[in-house]
Amino acid sequence: MKKLPLNDGSVFEEKDKLISLLKKILLFTAAIGGIVALIYLLYLAANAYAGTEVKFFYPRIFCDFTQVAYCSICKDAYLPEIGSSYSALSLFILAPFALIFKKDLDKIEYVFESAEWGVPNMQIMSSWRFWVAFLLFYAICFVALFFLIRRLVGKNTVEGRNIFWIFLLSAPALYAVIRGNMILTSLIFALIFLNWYRDEKAWKRELAILSLAVSGVLKLYPLFFCAFLLHDKKWFRTARMFVYFILLYLLPSLAYNGGISGYLENLFGFASGGNRLNYLENISFASLIYKVIYYPTKWLGVALPEWVGILCMALGFLVLLIFAVAAVVTDDTLKRAILSICAIALVPPVSYFYVMIFSLIPFMEYFREFEQHTVAENKQCFAFCVLLFFYPLYIISLYPLCAIALVFLGTVTCVKIFRQGEFGRYMSGLKKQFRKEEERQ
């Protein structure tokens, strides 16, 4: 690729300036949002002081955190009365924090339907013990992310710090905190994998594949990062990772009543409940195709047959297969990271916007190789960062635009990989490896 001219003053030709601009944009919008939130909280406090009852506009704020916490200390988490669809490992990780406000969790009446969780959720949040647990959990998460991001970026601590702030102020990270979702823990383990999967020390490499398994158990999507192992032809490590994944995914569930069968029943019930392909927040490829068919037929008053949804799901998995092959064969780490995030966001049947939190990974990879890219590519990168990170765009529900952008990005990356002959080179290298092994035998 054409190298950029250095120090000519253009924001799209100097990495530090471009990163600084992104940070300022996100910081400005976060500050405005923070001021609005503070004014609203003062309004609530003034009404409470005056004895006027005003309902909070979003009673399910932090509800993922409180629900997982409730399930984590409940022996019957997998029985129908509660019906938790969270992996047992997720419950184990949050259990120490749940114990901090266990008294408050014991006082509330559990509601099976998540839509009705707002009332007990607000009761829990009125306790100071909840805030200690919540803030401690996220403090640990963000400290871990800070050091992992800085290590992955390189020796430039200023750059690592700025990228961390961009991530912290991005729409996916803010949404994860507002929901109280455990997606941050999954990202932490994915970053541990990316930091050490090629390390010289064997124990660090083993820790890396174990971390990828844990990340996959927590949210499933990160398993696509196996492409990094498969590209390096680490077949045995990949196999061990899946062994770790299966053991960590199933065995811990035996600690709860209902066990493995109860957990899997709840999980499949959640995945198939309602028409999730029609959700606005679902930016999967299957959902995008389904919506293109669904809304015109709805306007015409025609009901879609069930096989349309199944066909859309099949197309989604076909995209996953194409992305997976391209990610494995490419020699470019950035392309592999881009395809990983596109697959994570576009392929799962239930793909809420906060899975875009993994977009941090290709973002870091791009800026590590900034000098190798052209001005036009830097402008495109900036546009994608604004689209994926800018919270106001998320508030006005531009999910379909995000989906279209990711389909375009993933398709262009795949075309480049196959046109440049990377598939042929990878297969040729694979044949040579097998021939050497046969000659040794």
Side-chain angles (χ1 to χ4, degrees):
M1 283 186 180
K2 179 184 175 182
K3 287 200 172 185
L4 295 170
L6 300 176
N7 302 320
D8 65 354
S10 170
V11 70
F12 292 109
E13 295 176 346
E14 292 190 26
K15 177 166 58 173
D16 294 340
K17 286 187 177 182
L18 188 56
I19 290 176
S20 178
L21 176 61
L22 277 170
K23 187 175 78 168
K24 288 176 181 176
I25 290 173
L26 297 175
L27 183 60
F28 176 76
T29 54
I32 296 297
I35 292 170
V36 172
L38 179 60
I39 293 172
Y40 181 71
L41 291 174
L42 291 173
Y43 165 75
L44 291 177
N47 279 276
Y49 181 77
T52 307
E53 185 178 349
V54 179
K55 290 186 177 180
F56 186 61
F57 83 102
Y58 187 42
R60 295 181 66 238
I61 189 171
F62 310 142
C63 67
D64 288 354
F65 184 86
T66 54
Q67 280 193 300
V68 178
Y70 184 92
C71 294
S72 70
I73 58 173
C74 182
K75 184 71 175 174
D76 299 336
Y78 292 148
L79 293 184
E81 291 77 12
I82 297 179
S84 173
S85 59
Y86 297 97
S87 69
L89 192 60
S90 298
L91 304 185
F92 285 1
I93 289 175
L94 206 59
F97 302 93
L99 291 173
I100 297 175
F101 61 110
K102 184 177 184 299
K103 290 183 179 179
D104 308 294
L105 292 169
D106 290 338
K107 291 178 183 177
I108 60 102
E109 183 177 350
Y110 184 78
V111 180
F112 179 77
E113 294 292 336
S114 60
E116 304 295 331
W117 181 249
V119 173
N121 186 57
M122 295 304 290
Q123 293 173 356
I124 294 169
M125 286 173 53
S126 65
S127 168
W128 63 269
R129 288 180 288 266
F130 161 79
W131 289 103
V132 170
F134 182 81
L135 294 175
L136 179 61
F137 174 77
Y138 278 97
I140 292 172
C141 285
F142 283 120
V143 167
L145 286 168
F146 174 77
F147 287 106
L148 288 168
I149 288 170
R150 195 173 68 170
R151 189 184 187 282
L152 199 58
V153 168
K155 296 180 180 179
N156 190 334
T157 56
V158 175
E159 182 182 326
R161 188 162 57 244
N162 284 336
I163 287 178
F164 170 75
W165 277 107
I166 288 172
F167 164 73
L168 186 66
L169 299 169
S170 68
L174 290 173
Y175 183 63
V177 175
I178 290 171
R179 291 284 302 187
N181 199 273
M182 289 190 65
I183 193 74
L184 288 179
T185 54
S186 184
L187 177 62
I188 287 170
F189 286 104
L191 290 177
I192 291 173
F193 165 73
L194 292 172
N195 267 292
W196 284 297
Y197 79 100
R198 283 180 171 173
D199 199 275
E200 294 179 357
K201 296 181 179 178
W203 71 268
K204 286 188 177 181
R205 295 196 301 270
E206 199 66 22
L207 176 64
I209 62 172
L210 178 61
S211 296
L212 181 58
V214 171
S215 184
V217 170
L218 297 179
K219 283 297 175 182
L220 288 180
Y221 317 117
L223 290 178
F224 197 87
F225 290 117
C226 278
F228 287 78
L229 291 174
L230 293 172
H231 172 77
D232 292 348
K233 303 177 181 64
K234 304 301 181 184
W235 319 117
F236 188 46
R237 282 191 215 169
T238 305
R240 289 205 308 277
M241 192 284 299
F242 275 105
V243 170
Y244 291 145
F245 168 75
I246 293 170
L247 292 176
L248 292 171
Y249 197 68
L250 296 178
L251 293 184
S253 61
L254 296 175
Y256 293 90
N257 292 337
I260 295 173
S261 61
Y263 164 66
L264 292 177
E265 183 178 349
N266 294 336
L267 180 66
F268 292 136
F270 170 77
S272 61
N275 189 0
R276 299 190 183 278
L277 288 175
N278 191 33
Y279 284 3
L280 181 63
E281 295 88 346
N282 187 341
I283 60 171
S284 69
F285 181 76
S287 177
L288 180 63
I289 298 299
Y290 186 84
K291 288 168 188 168
V292 169
I293 303 170
Y294 173 78
Y295 286 107
T297 54
K298 182 182 179 182
W299 183 73
L300 293 171
V302 178
L304 283 180
E306 189 175 337
W307 64 264
V308 174
I310 297 172
L311 177 62
C312 291
M313 293 280 288
L315 291 172
F317 283 107
L318 177 61
V319 171
L320 171 63
L321 179 62
I322 295 171
F323 281 10
V325 171
V328 169
V329 303
T330 182
D331 294 322
D332 192 324
T333 305
L334 174 60
K335 290 178 183 175
R336 194 175 305 115
I338 289 172
L339 287 172
S340 296
I341 184 57
C342 288
I344 286 170
L346 295 173
V347 177
V350 182
S351 181
Y352 299 103
F353 191 80
Y354 60 71
V355 303
M356 285 307 301
I357 208 162
F358 292 100
S359 60
L360 168 70
I361 293 168
F363 171 75
M364 287 192 298
E365 288 293 338
Y366 188 91
F367 281 99
R368 281 207 300 180
E369 303 173 358
F370 185 83
E371 290 75 14
Q372 300 176 22
H373 299 285
T374 64
V375 172
E377 289 172 330
N378 292 339
K379 289 180 179 179
Q380 292 167 10
C381 173
F382 179 78
F384 272 103
C385 287
V386 171
L387 174 63
L388 300 178
F389 293 164
F390 197 49
Y391 202 80
L393 293 180
Y394 170 64
I395 292 174
I396 60 177
S397 301
L398 291 181
Y399 304 104
L401 183 59
C402 292
I404 292 169
L406 289 166
V407 168
F408 174 78
L409 183 61
T411 302
V412 169
T413 305
C414 281
V415 170
K416 285 183 177 180
I417 288 170
F418 289 108
R419 275 188 177 177
Q420 293 169 0
E422 293 186 69
F423 179 78
R425 288 197 296 272
Y426 179 85
M427 295 305 294
S428 177
L430 203 58
K431 289 178 181 178
K432 289 180 181 178
Q433 182 183 8
F434 285 137
R435 284 175 184 171
K436 287 181 181 178
E437 291 177 358
E438 287 177 358
E439 289 174 358
R440 289 174 186 172
Q441 293 174 357

